[in-house]
Amino acid sequence: MDTKNIVTAKAHANIAIIKYWGKLDEVKKTPLNSSISLTLDKFYTITSIERNQKLSKDFFYLNDELQNDNETSKISKILDYFRHPDEKVIVRSHNSMPTAAGLSSSSSGYAALVLCANKSFNCNKSRSELSYIARLGSGSACRSLYSPVAIWKCDIDEHKAIAYPLQCNIKLAMIIIILNKNKKEVLSRDGMRHCVETSTIFNKWVTTANDDAAKMVSLLQTNDFKAIGELMERNTLLMHETTLHANPPFSYLNSDTHACLEYIRKIRQDGFETYFTMDAGPNVKLLCRESEVHIIYKKLLEKYDESNLVMSHLVEEDYD
Ligand code: ADP
Ligand code: DP6
């Protein structure tokens, strides 16, 4: 009998236009606020699982590097939702984007893992179950199961949140400006926890972000790109302000980020309508109308090298 079989799955990363920032429950990863994201075609993870009856423990290779026990145990916990715990596997995963640099590798990473485990162990779990399990790996991953636009809707009174696809009537795209590919010093998880525990403006953030999410749901039904972009920018800046009011304060943004924002504001005045957002890292993502993304990309080439720009359309695929 063949003791080995290998199954592969792919999932795309998502970038939040309304940020998830803060948890009520660290284990279930229940968010304190609703978030909304776009799932991008150019940023993805491909993961394979090799079932091999001869293995006595799990092995996890990320971008061809064998991971330590801590990283491997995070993967094993997710696999336990799909398998008999005695069955060990080799997981090999490749990210198309730099890992842990604020480019959302954890979202596609855990989404690809649950899709792959579902196939590998013939589980036939529904997409909403997969989204819930992916979230236990990394909160933002629950949104990567839905495209092109996803909401992770939070019901704070019920202490519950679910992700699902969101109706969007405007064609959007993104350009990623990679300013730094290095691994961040403060992982999203740690930065988020530190802000929940110490940031003096955290309550304001939670209330505002939940309001922002409700407003964005309505705006996405319209063609009001300006209002969508401005709301995304305000939400981004408030999220980053929480880090400045933490104790001790910190920032994911650096001088290159600030120079980039200044440039974006300037070209906007010149008629290049695009809006910025940043996650837990210095890199900048620009929201564009799909019909204008090429013109804006060309403009950016005046300042940034082609190798640092990624033009991304939204993913339309259906995982079922
Ligand atoms: P990012 O901005 O890249 O999402 P995070 O700090 O949120 O950064 O998450 C990075 C962590 O996500 C990594 O340290 C690793 O634990 C996990 N991760 C990244 N890629 C994968 C992957 N392909 N499979 C499983 N876990 C991954
Ligand atoms: C700033 O989903 O990486 O990118 O749930 O702790 O794994 P954990 O955090 P993660 O945080 C993402 C934070 C963000 C905003 C967002 O994607 O909504």
Side-chain angles (χ1 to χ4, degrees):
M1 183 187 134
D2 186 13
T3 53
K4 233 164 68 158
N5 77 54
I6 301 178
V7 160
T8 299
K10 177 177 181 182
H12 292 88
N14 68 78
I15 297 296
I17 56 171
I18 299 295
K19 307 296 180 190
Y20 146 55
W21 193 243
K23 297 179 191 71
L24 184 66
D25 182 317
E26 290 274 336
V27 179
K28 291 189 194 148
K29 303 212 169 40
T30 317
L32 282 162
N33 70 279
S34 299
S35 54
I36 297 175
S37 62
L38 310 181
T39 306
L40 302 186
D41 63 353
K42 292 282 169 49
F43 282 0
Y44 56 84
T45 298
I46 296 179
T47 295
S48 73
I49 295 179
E50 175 178 336
R51 294 173 70 176
N52 182 334
Q53 292 166 6
K54 292 181 190 145
L55 297 170
S56 56
K57 62 174 201 146
D58 290 329
F59 293 87
F60 173 37
Y61 292 85
L62 180 52
N63 302 321
D64 297 321
E65 263 183 45
L66 182 63
Q67 301 295 296
N68 63 24
D69 287 350
N70 181 38
E71 282 298 319
T72 309
S73 76
K74 292 199 238 166
I75 297 299
S76 301
K77 275 190 209 143
I78 298 297
L79 294 171
D80 288 345
Y81 285 89
F82 297 88
R83 65 174 176 190
H84 188 282
D86 290 342
E87 184 166 3
K88 303 302 176 194
V89 297
I90 304 174
V91 175
R92 294 183 184 87
S93 191
H94 289 94
N95 294 328
S96 75
M97 72 297 261
T99 299
L103 294 167
S104 204
S105 68
S106 61
S107 73
S108 52
Y110 281 99
L113 184 68
V114 297
L115 286 164
C116 195
N118 199 38
K119 273 206 244 174
S120 178
F121 298 103
N122 303 310
C123 290
N124 218 11
K125 288 187 193 293
S126 68
R127 195 174 332 180
S128 60
E129 285 174 283
L130 293 178
S131 171
Y132 181 76
I133 301 169
R135 146 187 171 179
L136 301 175
S138 183
S140 55
C142 70
R143 298 185 309 234
S144 274
L145 274 298
Y146 300 100
S147 54
V149 182
I151 180 164
W152 186 13
K153 180 99 169 46
C154 182
D155 182 335
I156 207 72
D157 298 327
E158 295 282 329
H159 293 189
K160 279 202 303 220
I162 53 162
Y164 54 91
L166 192 63
Q167 172 74 25
C168 176
N169 290 334
I170 177 166
K171 291 261 178 224
L172 300 168
M174 277 194 158
I175 301 172
I176 317 302
I177 306 178
I178 302 180
L179 299 169
N180 189 336
K181 291 185 178 164
N182 296 339
K183 202 170 163 171
K184 60 187 97 165
E185 281 165 25
V186 185
L187 288 175
S188 319
R189 187 157 307 171
D190 301 331
M192 201 184 287
R193 188 187 309 114
H194 183 60
C195 287
V196 173
E197 287 170 359
T198 69
S199 180
T200 53
I201 63 161
F202 210 78
N203 287 342
K204 177 182 166 195
W205 157 256
V206 171
T207 312
T208 311
N210 277 311
D211 287 351
D212 289 350
K215 281 183 200 144
M216 190 60 95
V217 170
S218 305
L219 284 173
L220 290 173
Q221 319 291 316
T222 71
N223 202 23
D224 195 345
F225 182 58
K226 183 170 189 280
I228 292 169
E230 287 179 351
L231 179 60
M232 179 186 76
E233 282 192 359
R234 277 200 304 279
N235 181 266
T236 298
L237 292 174
L238 188 58
M239 179 206 126
H240 286 279
E241 213 182 310
T242 65
T243 69
L244 303 177
H245 289 82
N247 185 13
F250 69 106
S251 181
Y252 285 110
L253 314 180
N254 63 24
S255 53
D256 290 339
T257 316
H258 291 293
C260 180
L261 303 193
E262 211 171 293
Y263 178 70
I264 298 309
R265 288 183 175 116
K266 184 184 155 298
I267 66 168
R268 198 151 65 205
Q269 281 179 353
D270 298 340
F272 295 89
E273 199 183 4
T274 184
Y275 297 88
F276 57 77
T277 185
M278 293 79 65
D279 291 280
N283 300 307
V284 176
K285 295 101 188 183
L286 298 182
L287 186 68
C288 310
R289 286 183 189 275
E290 194 185 45
S291 55
E292 290 170 4
V293 66
H294 287 94
I295 300 167
I296 291 165
Y297 182 84
K298 212 169 144 211
K299 179 71 185 169
L300 292 171
L301 285 173
E302 289 176 12
K303 185 170 169 72
Y304 294 102
D305 195 82
E306 203 180 340
S307 61
N308 295 321
L309 297 178
V310 183
M311 190 198 304
S312 231
H313 291 88
L314 305 197
V315 174
E316 295 288 349
E317 88 202 286
D318 189 345
Y319 291 110
D320 285 335

